[in-house]
Amino acid sequence: MDFSAARELIGRQTVLLPDPVPEHPLLDGKKEIGRGEYSIVLDKGDGERVYKIVSSPADYFLYTAEDRPRGEHFPIIHADHGIVGRAQSGYPLHLLEMEKLYPLAEDAPAAELARRLIEVYWSACQQWSRLGADMGRIALYDMTMNPLALGTGMQKAVKALSDFVEDYQVLPDILNANNLMMRKDGTLVFSDPVFIA
């Protein structure tokens, strides 16, 4: 499956946040280790945590809302350090301190689980493509109604993500393998699975 082509087909080409790292005492001298469409990640330097600057309200809600999805397949957020600037998009830049996650290693069981999850999700998106922009939301919900051979924990995580998508009226973004990462112990984690259209 060509994930880049699939993302382009639904209008989710890879774009990186153009904003510079804002000046802030916690970020001074910290190395940027990742950048996404709505976020910048800097290494805290302790091997366990990172600073994540998020510009998307969807990401901010996912990481900080009291009713956010939690559990083994969602990131651990240690602190919300508040607003540290404003993105070119007009949204505030929020600084979060969270657990350090890692890219999926090709031979890791988490990578295989991510591939299966993405393939099932893309297949459901194609089935619901006539719904346009809502196809991803409906596809994710459809995955909760049709149990997957992904394990009980992942099935619960998909349900929690689907509920969050519905409650906050955001859209899922799990076609990008960069939005699925892993912990040191190999657990698959939804790192940036939502966006605002």
Side-chain angles (χ1 to χ4, degrees):
M1 175 176 176
D2 183 349
F3 296 125
S4 296
R7 285 181 58 78
E8 189 170 329
L9 186 64
I10 62 169
R12 302 291 301 144
Q13 300 87 335
T14 301
V15 176
L16 298 179
L17 184 69
D19 300 278
V21 173
E23 290 185 23
H24 189 277
L26 291 174
L27 304 178
D28 290 346
K30 302 300 183 209
K31 179 183 175 188
E32 183 177 320
I33 58 172
R35 187 176 284 258
E37 191 172 353
Y38 300 106
S39 63
I40 304 168
V41 180
L42 294 103
D43 191 358
K44 184 176 179 186
D46 64 0
E48 299 296 321
R49 296 182 182 190
V50 296
Y51 291 117
K52 186 164 188 170
I53 302 162
V54 297
S55 67
S56 168
D59 287 343
Y60 184 68
F61 298 148
L62 179 75
Y63 296 140
T64 63
E66 284 298 316
D67 59 347
R68 71 184 180 270
R70 299 172 197 251
E72 68 176 324
H73 296 292
F74 293 96
I76 297 168
I77 307 304
H78 295 288
D80 178 354
H81 294 292
I83 296 173
V84 295
R86 188 157 298 278
Q88 291 177 22
S89 65
Y91 290 121
L93 294 170
H94 293 270
L95 177 59
L96 305 173
E97 188 173 332
M98 63 185 285
E99 72 174 308
K100 186 173 187 177
L101 299 172
Y102 299 87
L104 297 171
E106 276 299 313
D107 58 346
E112 178 56 32
L113 179 58
R115 276 191 288 278
R116 288 195 330 242
L117 180 67
I118 291 169
E119 286 171 1
V120 169
Y121 177 71
W122 176 238
S123 177
C125 282
Q126 290 175 312
Q127 177 184 346
W128 296 103
S129 64
R130 68 186 177 280
L131 296 177
D134 283 332
M135 75 176 167
R137 187 174 52 80
I138 301 301
L140 189 64
Y141 176 77
D142 186 59
M143 290 169 64
T144 69
M145 302 280 64
N146 300 298
L148 313 169
L150 301 173
T152 304
M154 181 53 69
Q155 188 65 39
K156 287 179 181 177
V158 168
K159 172 75 167 95
L161 181 59
S162 179
D163 290 347
F164 177 83
V165 163
E166 286 301 311
D167 291 346
Y168 282 82
Q169 291 299 295
V170 295
L171 297 172
D173 187 12
I174 56 175
L175 281 180
N176 185 347
N178 294 331
N179 292 345
L180 299 167
M181 299 185 81
M182 63 187 226
R183 292 191 177 97
K184 279 184 190 177
D185 69 4
T187 302
L188 181 66
V189 177
F190 288 107
S191 58
D192 286 307
V194 294
F195 72 102
I196 292 178

